[in-house]
Amino acid sequence: MIPNVLITGSNRGLGLEWCRQYAKAGWRVFASCRFPEQADALQQLAAEYGTVVMHRLDVTEPDQINALAGALAEYPIDLLINNAGVYYEKYDRPGQPIDYAAWTHTFRVNTMGAMRVSQALLPHIRRSQKRLIAVITSHMGSIAEIERPGSYYYRSSKAALNAAMKGFSLELGALEIGVLLLHPGWVRTRMGGPDGLLSPQESIEGMRARVEAFTLADSGRFFRYDGTEIPW
Ligand code: NDP
């Protein structure tokens, strides 16, 4: 039986590269995104690999999450990758008025979205071989690494994600389900911008190696793509 991976935010950036690499490695890829009908690059990948299946998923929409869990009822999910994220960088700056609606939305996607999807897919993950939830967080969620003002919505959403997922890893330990927190590095995507230090390919290769090497002793720990550990 080939392993199954479910990825959120698969239409571009790191999500698309996760899909590409796992498809190439022979996995069945459930590639979810908000608007499959507009996801040209993902459609091309699905045309190339019969093992890439597209699904609609906005991680802030409980009905869509439940519908996806139902549609995948017969499949074990070896690996769930909570990748979808938002960063309102232009508005999230020191000295600017706080946009509380944008801050709330950032939490709904980055923090609660990852938890909602993980909870809904637990039965599928539980009956798989690998039983792993990967959480794409950021070193910007590390309070220890804050050295300048700004990015309040993004940093707090990722710090909260880290706290929630660390606790969740303790809950899931009894079920032998792992939770791995990963920082992708600074990557050239729409979010990372053109000056990022890594290509999506390099970042995902690094994070895939962390997923490959994962044992339950790593559950609830926070690693960079290169395997170094990040302080909370
Ligand atoms: P991009 O901005 O390129 O892609 C973000 C993805 O998230 C898109 O597919 C987007 O879909 C999706 N998304 C946004 N909102 C939702 C939602 N409500 N439901 C489902 N999907 C949604 O970012 P990256 O690929 O760079 O980032 C991927 C992850 O890596 C994020 O969690 C980010 O925080 C993290 N990260 C990235 C870094 C970098 O340097 N690039 C550094 C540290 C962390 P749509 O096109 O429909 O908006």
Side-chain angles (χ1 to χ4, degrees), residues 193-212:
D195 299 329
L197 301 177
L198 298 170
S199 66
Q201 187 183 336
E202 291 166 316
S203 168
I204 300 298
E205 280 170 3
M207 290 194 286
R208 276 183 58 220
R210 312 281 72 79
V211 167
E212 191 67 29

Side-chain angles (χ1 to χ4, degrees), residues 83-207:
N83 166 81
V86 292
Y87 180 15
Y88 294 107
E89 197 180 353
K90 284 192 191 135
Y91 312 100
D92 195 356
R93 292 201 169 155
Q96 293 225 6
I98 300 279
D99 180 335
Y100 286 95
W103 195 346
T104 302
H105 187 70
T106 304
F107 258 81
R108 289 182 66 221
V109 177
N110 294 3
T111 315
M112 289 176 256
M115 186 54 105
R116 273 194 208 282
V117 175
S118 301
Q119 290 272 7
L121 271 298
L122 270 188
H124 310 60
I125 297 164
R126 196 173 173 181
R127 56 172 195 269
S128 76
Q129 291 284 315
K130 191 158 177 82
R131 295 202 293 273
L132 179 58
I133 298 172
V135 180
I136 311 310
T137 175
S138 169
H139 74 128
M140 289 177 72
S142 162
I143 293 172
E145 293 200 357
I146 299 178
E147 288 170 351
R148 36 168 206 234
S151 303
Y152 302 122
Y153 326 160
Y154 186 74
R155 282 189 188 280
S156 61
S157 73
K158 293 291 192 180
L161 175 65
N162 290 353
M165 288 297 171
K166 166 82 194 186
F168 199 37
S169 76
L170 300 176
E171 180 182 333
L172 297 189
L175 304 176
E176 298 193 333
I177 294 175
V179 180
L180 178 62
L181 291 108
L182 291 170
H183 167 55
W186 183 18
V187 191
R188 294 185 292 276
T189 61
R190 201 179 298 174
M191 186 185 292
D195 299 329
L197 301 177
L198 298 170
S199 66
Q201 187 183 336
E202 291 166 316
S203 168
I204 300 298
E205 280 170 3
M207 290 194 286

